[in-house]
């Protein structure tokens, strides 16, 4: 079966750094995605990892360890607009390459 | 210039009535998906399509049917709406099932069944 776990909620302070973890169990791993979703809006693509290591994109970075079934999303220099839900999603080689989503982590950034 | 649009954006319907949600894309992508999003459950796949007239069930397909007669349109039908189908429905598109291809989501349809 497939299982994706991430914390339900997190709180951080404006200007700080926050790390959102995601662990997964799946067969035929074929990539991990992070999406950002503001309340009442659609998810939007943030990052993609298929090989082990860190991918950096501005204030956002994402890390993957395939052997540990683990990823994290790192947000630096937090801004109020970063308050949103962050969704971890895994793609498998089977099932027509469908994305399986975790339940999301709601991040609240406080002044 | 949105490449994917959903209609309607909001709908209130009565229990037992049929409801059809529409997803329209202008990207000519092969893959289209319908998800529902509920508190505590995240995004769950209802049905997906991998080409015209080619569809398959997802994790939570009971009570739903889909059709794709043209590349650009993917319809989701609730045969007889129930209160448990009150949810936010998202359509998504993908160019391929390749490793690096993620999804682009529509703006969602908020459906309330009373």
């Amino acid at each position: 079966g497939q299982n994706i776990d991430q914390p339900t909620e997190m709180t951080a302070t404006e200007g700080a750094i926050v790390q959102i973890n995601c662990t997964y169990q799946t067969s035929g791993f074929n990539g991990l995605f992070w999406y950002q979703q503001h309340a009442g809006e659609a998810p939007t693509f943030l990052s993609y990892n298929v090989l082990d290591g860190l991918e950096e994109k501005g204030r956002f970075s994402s890390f993957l360890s395939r052997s540990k079934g683990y990823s994290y999303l790192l947000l630096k220099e937090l801004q109020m607009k970063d308050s949103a839900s962050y969704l971890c999603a895994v793609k498998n080689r089977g099932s027509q390459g469908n994305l399986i989503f975790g339940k999301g982590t709601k991040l609240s950034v406080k002044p | 210039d949105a490449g994917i649009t959903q209609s309607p954006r909001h709908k209130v319907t009565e229990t037992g009535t049929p409801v059809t949600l529409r997803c329209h894309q202008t990207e000519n992508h092969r893959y289209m998906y319908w998800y529902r999003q509920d508190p505590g459950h995240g995004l769950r796949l209802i049905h997906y399509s991998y080409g015209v007239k080619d569809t398959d069930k997802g994790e939570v397909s009971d009570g739903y049917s889909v059709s794709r007669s043209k590349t650009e349109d993917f319809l989701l039908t609730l045969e007889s709406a129930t209160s448990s189908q009150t949810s936010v429905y998202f359509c998504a598109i993908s160019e391929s099932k390749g490793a690096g291809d993620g999804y682009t989501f529509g703006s969602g349809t908020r459906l309330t069944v009373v």
Side-chain angles (χ1 to χ4, degrees), chain A residues 30-33 35 37 39-45 48-50 85 87 91-104, chain B residues 9 30-31 33 35 37 40-45 48 50 56-57 90 94 96-108 110:
Chain A
N30 202 25
L32 187 142
F33 294 77
Y35 283 80
Q37 185 178 25
E41 298 183 8
T44 56
F45 171 79
Y48 163 72
N49 296 72
V50 68
S85 289
L87 315 180
K91 178 175 278 199
N92 288 340
R93 286 196 174 85
S95 302
Q96 293 290 340
N98 296 336
L99 280 179
I100 309 299
F101 286 84
K103 296 178 181 179
Chain B
R9 291 295 313 277
R30 178 181 175 187
Y31 294 86
Y33 308 83
Y35 283 85
Q37 188 173 39
H41 290 278
L43 284 162
R44 293 181 291 173
L45 182 64
Y48 62 96
Y50 45 98
D56 206 348
K57 296 178 180 180
F90 286 102
S94 176
S96 78
K97 66 172 184 176
D101 283 332
Y103 296 174
T104 301
F105 285 87
S107 299
R110 183 173 294 276

Side-chain angles (χ1 to χ4, degrees), chain B:
Chain B
D1 63 341
I4 175 172
T5 55
Q6 293 184 229
S7 58
R9 291 295 313 277
H10 301 271
K11 186 171 182 65
V12 179
T13 192
E14 292 187 350
T15 299
T17 60
V19 177
T20 295
L21 309 183
R22 181 182 184 234
C23 179
H24 178 78
Q25 60 141 332
T26 58
E27 305 296 325
N28 201 36
H29 284 350
R30 178 181 175 187
Y31 294 86
M32 299 185 76
Y33 308 83
W34 277 108
Y35 283 85
R36 60 177 291 174
Q37 188 173 39
D38 305 287
H41 290 278
L43 284 162
R44 293 181 291 173
L45 182 64
I46 305 171
H47 282 280
Y48 62 96
S49 171
Y50 45 98
V52 174
K53 292 185 170 34
D54 290 324
T55 65
D56 206 348
K57 296 178 180 180
E59 176 190 3
V60 290
S61 60
D62 286 350
Y64 302 95
S65 63
V66 289
S67 66
R68 191 167 178 202
S69 58
K70 300 184 291 185
T71 298
E72 56 265 38
D73 290 326
F74 192 33
L75 304 180
L76 176 71
T77 297
L78 288 66
E79 309 286 351
S80 176
T82 67
S83 58
S84 65
Q85 293 176 312
T86 292
S87 185
V88 179
Y89 291 85
F90 286 102
C91 177
I93 60 175
S94 176
E95 187 167 8
S96 78
K97 66 172 184 176
D101 283 332
Y103 296 174
T104 301
F105 285 87
S107 299
T109 295
R110 183 173 294 276
L111 177 68
T112 303
V113 183
V114 298

Side-chain angles (χ1 to χ4, degrees), chain A residues 6-10 20-21 84-87 103-107:
Chain A
Q6 46 182 135
T8 303
E9 293 186 34
M10 298 182 71
I20 302 174
N21 296 325
S85 289
Y86 293 86
L87 315 180
K103 296 178 181 179
T105 299
K106 183 178 180 181
L107 174 67

Side-chain angles (χ1 to χ4, degrees), chain A residues 15 18 23 41 47 75 106 110-111:
Chain A
V18 70
T23 58
E41 298 183 8
S47 70
L75 291 74
K106 183 178 180 181
K110 308 291 186 186

